[in-house]
Amino acid sequence: MEKKYSVAIYPSQDVIDSVKIMKDYLETKIGWYNSKNSTAHITICEFKMTETELEKIKLKLHKICDTFTPFPVQLDHFGSYDAGAFFISPNEDSKTNLKPIMKKTQDALRLSNMKKSNDPHISIGRRLTPESIKIASHLFTTIDISFSCNSIVLRELDEVRKQFFVIDTFTFNSNPLPEFVQGSLF
C-alpha cells in the first residue's frame, strides 16, 4: 500500500516553539485553519510510495546529505501567496543557500510523482481567505529568528491525524563528492 511522504528541513526547537505560539495566536483571531497543527518546517518535496520502495529513498537521502555542509538560516520577514498561504521567509543569503539543497535533494530522488517546492519558507497558515491573510499580516509584522540548517528529515503522513511525523533524520556531514577523473590507458 502506498503512503504519503515528505522531505523537509526542520528548524531548531526554539524556532518550532516560536512558530507554534504564532499559529496558536492566529487561531484565537481567525479560528481553526489549515496547517495550524503542522510542525514548523521548510518543505523540499512530497511523494507517494510503498514502504519497500522507501529504503532506496533513505539511501539516496543519506548519500546526498553526507555531501552537504551545515549553514545558518536567517528568517527575517513574512509573506503570502495568492493561493492563501501566510509564511515566514528567509533572507536572500539564506535562500541562496537553501535552494541548491532543495534542488539537489529533489534531483537525487528522481521520482516521477514528486511534488516539489522551490521557494523556501515556513508556513504559518495555508488555504487562508484574503481576510485571514490580512489579519495575519497585521498581527505579525516583524521577525528575526535563525537556526542552523544541518539535516533533512523524512516524514510520513499519519492518515488519522492528517499530520506528518518524522521517521528518519539525515545529517549534513560536509563530505564533498569525489571528483571523477578521466584516466588514460596509454
Side-chain angles (χ1 to χ4, degrees), residues 2 24 26 33 37 46 52 61 76 86 89 91 97 100 102 111 113-114 127 147 149 175 183 186:
E2 282 194 335
D24 290 346
L26 182 59
Y33 57 91
N37 295 318
E46 292 180 1
T52 52
L61 287 171
D76 69 352
F86 183 77
S89 190
N91 67 15
N97 289 327
M102 295 167 72
L111 296 168
N113 67 346
M114 183 187 309
R127 296 188 213 135
F147 67 94
C149 181
N175 291 320
F186 304 101

Side-chain angles (χ1 to χ4, degrees), residues 77-81 85-89 95 119-125:
H77 64 282
F78 294 97
S80 62
Y81 295 130
F86 183 77
F87 57 86
I88 305 168
S89 190
K95 273 191 181 187
D119 186 29
H121 64 277
I122 296 178
S123 293
I124 301 291

Side-chain angles (χ1 to χ4, degrees), residues 50-152:
T50 64
E51 284 185 59
T52 52
E53 295 171 308
L54 193 63
E55 288 309 310
K56 290 178 185 172
I57 295 301
K58 288 181 179 184
L59 287 172
K60 289 178 181 181
L61 287 171
H62 174 72
K63 188 173 181 179
I64 194 70
C65 287
D66 190 50
T67 68
F68 296 150
T69 299
F71 58 92
V73 173
Q74 187 71 34
L75 303 161
D76 69 352
H77 64 282
F78 294 97
S80 62
Y81 295 130
D82 291 341
F86 183 77
F87 57 86
I88 305 168
S89 190
N91 67 15
E92 287 307 312
D93 286 345
S94 297
K95 273 191 181 187
T96 300
N97 289 327
L98 285 163
K99 284 185 175 187
I101 298 291
M102 295 167 72
K103 176 91 171 89
K104 287 176 184 176
T105 302
Q106 294 162 354
D107 290 349
L109 298 181
R110 293 188 206 116
L111 296 168
S112 59
N113 67 346
M114 183 187 309
K115 198 169 114 185
K116 301 176 185 178
S117 173
N118 59 8
D119 186 29
H121 64 277
I122 296 178
S123 293
I124 301 291
R126 292 181 299 113
R127 296 188 213 135
L128 299 175
T129 64
E131 182 182 303
S132 293
I133 288 178
K134 188 175 182 180
I135 291 168
S137 63
H138 284 22
L139 292 175
F140 308 113
T141 56
T142 60
I143 190 160
D144 186 15
I145 53 179
S146 59
F147 67 94
S148 175
C149 181
N150 56 20
S151 64
I152 285 176

Side-chain angles (χ1 to χ4, degrees), residues 9-22 38-41 75 122 145-151 153 166:
I9 295 168
Y10 268 23
S12 64
Q13 191 60 50
D14 289 355
V15 173
I16 290 171
D17 294 343
S18 295
V19 172
K20 179 161 180 19
I21 290 167
M22 285 186 253
S38 176
T39 302
H41 66 279
L75 303 161
I122 296 178
I145 53 179
S146 59
F147 67 94
S148 175
C149 181
N150 56 20
S151 64
V153 297
V166 175

